[in-house]
């Protein structure tokens, strides 16, 4: 009989998390480390990223930091080469790095649109492309490698004043499905996660957007956001980290091309 605990054990896996220095990314890093994974934190914020790595290592976890701007292909190549040199394998990639801004379509410049898609779409594409080359070397039928792309509830439905953001996250959704179809025979799984509003700095941006559009204070805006989902709350970073941990683990070894929605039921009720 299969030991179910083994299905969730990450102690033999090496993971790379982009945007891992803060917010959801930092929660993902800590969650994967807690389950035994060796986690490579990548971010443009070297000071914060190294601080988290040092903190985790001091507690006995296995963590390291690499500097990475996800829009730069050369930096992606260097990051993956570093992972291969230091750890000889890559089992999990979490494409978490992303940006958000809210503007009407009239106020969104072409440069705004290009920036959003450079980070949120091209960064994910480059991660999938370069990580897969290393993953193929060690992925097996019984323990497939896992690419986890953080999309959004905005990748499932349109939202006012978020046209560039929703475009980028919708692209991540379908890119995930396409690459999943391509890499499955090479024992690499590719899935997307679609958070709703999460209590992070980016979540505060959404709250401020709601406050401005409704001409109310932040408390009233928060209440309005909570009323949009059956669970009557925003997600916590650990809620997203837990979903990532499941998709990283062999517990999800037969899942690919799937959408894991972690939005408190918001998209179900719109």
């Amino acid at each position: 009989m299969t030991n179910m605990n083994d299905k969730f054990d990450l102690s033999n896996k090496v993971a790379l998390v982009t945007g891992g220095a803060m917010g959801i990314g930092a929660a993902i890093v800590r969650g994967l480390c807690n389950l035994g994974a060796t986690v490579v934190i990548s971010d443009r914020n070297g000071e914060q990223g190294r601080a988290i790595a040092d903190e985790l290592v001091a507690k006995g976890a296995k963590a390291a930091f690499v500097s990475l701007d996800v829009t730069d292909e050369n930096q992606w190549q260097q990051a993956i080469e570093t992972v291969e040199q230091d750890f000889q394998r890559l089992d999990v990639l979490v494409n978490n790095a992303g940006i958000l801004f809210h503007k009407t379509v009239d106020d969104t410049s072409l440069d705004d649109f290009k920036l959003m898609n450079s980070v949120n779409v091209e960064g994910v594409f480059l991660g999938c492309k370069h990580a897969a080359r290393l993953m193929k070397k060690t992925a097996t039928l019984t323990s497939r490698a896992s690419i986890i792309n953080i999309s959004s509830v905005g990748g499932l439905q349109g939202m006012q004043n978020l046209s560039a953001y929703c475009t980028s996250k919708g692209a991540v959704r379908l890119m995930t499905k396409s690459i999943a179809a391509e890499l499955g025979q090479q024992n690499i799984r590719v899935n997307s996660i679609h958070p709703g509003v999460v209590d992070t700095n980016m979540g505060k941006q959404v709250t401020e957007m709601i406050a401005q559009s409704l001409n109310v204070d932040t408390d009233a805006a928060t209440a309005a956001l909570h009323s949009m989902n059956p669970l009557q709350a925003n997600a916590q970073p650990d809620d997203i980290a837990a979903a990532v941990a499941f998709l990283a683990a062999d517990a999800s070894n037969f899942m690919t091309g799937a959408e894991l929605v972690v939005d408190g039921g918001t998209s179900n009720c719109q």
Side-chain angles (χ1 to χ4, degrees):
M1 181 181 295
T2 300
N3 184 335
M4 192 56 65
N5 288 335
D6 292 342
K7 290 286 189 178
F8 290 90
D9 180 16
L10 301 181
S11 59
N12 293 320
K13 295 187 183 293
V14 176
L16 171 64
V17 180
T18 70
M22 61 188 68
I24 293 173
I28 291 169
V29 166
R30 291 189 171 97
L32 296 179
C33 278
N34 286 341
L35 291 171
T38 298
V39 181
V40 180
I41 305 161
S42 72
D43 206 288
R44 293 190 304 172
N45 187 335
E47 181 178 357
Q48 182 65 20
R50 290 185 185 90
I52 292 176
D54 290 345
E55 167 205 326
L56 290 167
V57 169
K59 293 178 179 178
K62 295 169 286 187
F65 174 78
V66 294
S67 180
L68 175 62
D69 177 344
V70 296
T71 67
D72 187 320
E73 184 162 21
N74 288 332
Q75 290 191 31
W76 264 112
Q77 291 172 320
Q78 292 168 10
I80 297 301
E81 287 172 5
T82 297
V83 171
E84 183 170 22
Q85 178 180 341
D86 292 350
F87 305 107
Q88 295 77 54
R89 62 185 299 127
L90 181 62
D91 304 284
V92 179
L93 169 66
V94 186
N95 280 311
N96 166 73
I99 60 172
L100 175 146
F101 57 76
H102 51 92
K103 292 184 179 182
T104 66
V105 67
D106 288 347
D107 289 336
T108 301
S109 69
L110 183 57
D111 285 342
D112 289 334
F113 190 85
K114 288 179 177 179
L115 175 61
M116 184 75 75
N117 284 276
S118 176
V119 177
N120 292 3
V121 183
E122 292 176 15
V124 172
F125 163 75
L126 290 171
C128 293
K129 174 182 178 179
H130 291 288
R133 292 173 176 168
L134 178 54
M135 288 176 160
K136 293 172 187 177
K137 297 181 179 182
T138 54
T140 67
L141 189 67
T142 57
S143 185
R144 297 179 174 93
S146 177
I147 296 175
I148 303 161
N149 296 328
I150 306 300
S151 179
S152 167
V153 65
L156 302 174
Q157 60 189 46
M159 296 179 174
Q160 187 177 5
N161 298 335
L162 290 171
S163 58
Y165 180 76
C166 290
T167 297
S168 70
K169 292 301 187 178
V172 169
R173 172 179 177 264
L174 286 183
M175 186 197 311
T176 297
K177 293 180 180 297
S178 180
I179 296 176
E182 180 178 339
L183 295 182
Q185 293 183 5
Q186 298 170 68
N187 293 321
I188 300 173
R189 305 183 292 113
V190 192
N191 295 286
S192 59
I193 294 179
H194 298 259
V197 179
V198 185
D199 280 336
T200 61
N201 288 336
M202 191 175 288
K204 290 178 182 178
Q205 288 182 256
V206 176
T207 303
E208 291 168 1
M209 178 188 72
I210 297 295
Q212 291 173 10
S213 65
L214 298 178
N215 195 26
V216 297
D217 61 24
T218 55
D219 288 342
T222 298
L225 278 173
H226 290 178
S227 71
M228 294 170 65
N229 70 69
L231 299 186
Q232 300 285 291
N234 292 344
Q236 297 303 306
D238 282 349
D239 294 321
I240 314 306
V244 169
F246 168 64
L247 289 178
D250 291 341
S252 59
N253 197 47
F254 203 62
M255 285 181 64
T256 196
E259 303 164 5
L260 197 53
V261 183
V262 190
D263 70 347
T266 299
S267 58
N268 184 56
C269 296
Q270 299 302 307

